[in-house]
Amino acid sequence: MTTAVLMIEDDERLASMVREYLGQSGFAIVHAPDGKTGLELLQRGLGQQLPELVILDLMLPDMDGLDVCRQIRATQGPIARVPILMLTAKGDPMDRVIGLEIGADDYLPKPFEPRELLARVRAILRRQQAGTLAASDSDVLRFGSLEIDRSARTVSVAGRPAELTSYQFDLLVALAERAGRVLTRDQIMEAVRGRELEAFDRSIDVHMGRIRAAIEADVKNPRRILTVRGVGYVFAKQQD
C-alpha cells in the first residue's frame, strides 16, 4: 500500500528525483510546481483522500512557502493537521525558526541527501502513527480547563480549540503523560520517537513556544509548561 505525499516544489529535477527515490519505499509523490497549485490539490484531495504529508519548499515562483504553510494551518478541518516538512535554504536558521513557529513539523536544509529525506519523512509518519496507536489506551487527559483528546488528536482550553501541528500535539502529550516529571530535551525527543537533536537545537524550544501560545493564558508567565533552566521542561500537575 502506497503512502500519498504532496510535494510543493518548483525544481522539476529535484521533484523527479524525490518521486523516484521515495517511490522505491512505497510513497506516491504528487508534485505541485507552485504554491497555488499545491493548495488547490490539498483542498481537492489526492485521489479523494488527503496526503499523509506535505513536503514544502520555501522558495516558490508565485508565493512564499511560509505563506503556503500559514494558509494550510489556517484551514478548517483535517487539512490543517497534515504534517509539513519544510525545505529551507542551507545556512539560514531564521527561515527554520519562522517555519516552525508558523506550523511546520520539521525542516530539511538544501541540498540534502535522499536518504535523509526518507528518514525525516518516516520519522514524521512514525510519530503520527504512534500518537494514533496510543489513543487506544486512554482517550482524554484533563488538567483543569485543558483537555487533550488523544483519540481525536485535538486540544481545547475552556472548550475552545487550540491549534497545534501534529508534532506539537505529540510533544504536548509526551509532557502531559509525564506531568510533574522534569524532562530533558533528549528525553522529550525520545518520547515522541523523533529525530535526534542536531546543531539547530532551538527547534524544540520554538515548538514549546508555539504550544504555550496555544494553551497558556499568559505566555510570559506560563503555568502549564514550565522551563527548568539548564535542564528542560516540566508539565505542571496543578493548574487553573
Side-chain angles (χ1 to χ4, degrees):
M1 183 176 179
T2 58
T3 300
V5 174
L6 173 61
M7 184 173 191
I8 307 176
E9 165 66 63
D10 63 325
D11 187 331
E12 296 282 349
R13 290 182 60 186
L14 178 61
S16 178
M17 179 272 289
V18 170
R19 181 187 294 114
E20 180 178 354
Y21 189 84
L22 294 189
Q24 298 172 3
S25 298
F27 294 92
I29 308 299
V30 176
H31 175 224
D34 54 59
K36 182 175 182 292
T37 303
L39 289 170
E40 289 174 350
L41 284 170
L42 196 56
Q43 290 286 352
R44 272 204 316 265
L46 313 180
Q48 305 304 313
Q49 67 177 12
L50 281 176
E52 295 192 42
L53 176 73
V54 173
I55 300 175
L56 173 63
D57 186 27
L58 272 185
M59 303 295 292
L60 297 170
D62 60 336
M63 59 195 302
D64 193 299
L66 295 174
D67 290 332
V68 176
C69 184
R70 287 190 187 95
Q71 290 191 42
I72 292 174
R73 292 298 179 232
T75 305
Q76 298 297 317
I79 290 177
R81 296 190 291 274
V82 173
I84 298 173
L85 172 61
M86 186 167 284
L87 304 180
T88 68
K90 190 172 182 63
D92 193 351
M94 186 50 63
D95 279 346
R96 304 174 201 171
V97 171
I98 295 173
L100 293 171
E101 285 180 340
I102 65 175
D105 292 85
D106 200 356
Y107 69 91
L108 182 60
K110 289 182 175 181
F112 54 81
E113 288 290 331
R115 286 179 298 177
E116 183 176 7
L117 173 64
L118 177 59
R120 299 284 184 119
V121 167
R122 282 175 168 167
I124 291 173
L125 296 178
R126 197 161 54 239
R127 290 195 299 263
Q128 187 96 335
Q129 183 181 29
T132 301
L133 291 175
S136 62
D137 299 332
S138 62
D139 292 332
V140 181
L141 296 172
R142 293 186 178 88
F143 301 88
S145 62
L146 174 66
E147 185 172 292
I148 305 169
D149 189 330
R150 288 178 288 189
S151 174
R153 294 183 66 80
T154 59
V155 178
S156 64
V157 181
R160 296 186 300 274
E163 294 299 327
L164 297 174
T165 68
S166 174
Y167 188 33
Q168 289 158 8
F169 177 85
D170 290 338
L171 286 172
L172 176 59
V173 169
L175 285 168
E177 288 177 338
R178 299 161 180 80
R181 287 175 51 191
V182 178
L183 301 177
T184 66
R185 289 169 177 78
D186 288 333
Q187 288 172 325
I188 295 170
M189 298 296 278
E190 183 180 353
V192 298
R193 302 181 185 180
R195 58 184 173 80
E196 295 180 355
L197 287 174
E198 302 172 342
F200 181 59
D201 60 2
R202 282 188 59 196
S203 62
I204 193 167
D205 298 319
V206 172
H207 283 302
M208 289 300 174
R210 291 287 296 175
I211 296 170
R212 281 173 169 158
I215 68 172
E216 298 280 6
D218 183 354
V219 177
K220 293 183 178 179
N221 297 287
R223 299 181 59 191
R224 302 180 189 280
I225 297 178
L226 308 179
T227 301
V228 181
R229 194 172 299 279
V231 182
Y233 295 92
V234 60
F235 189 93
K237 284 185 176 182
Q238 301 300 322
Q239 302 171 11
D240 297 346

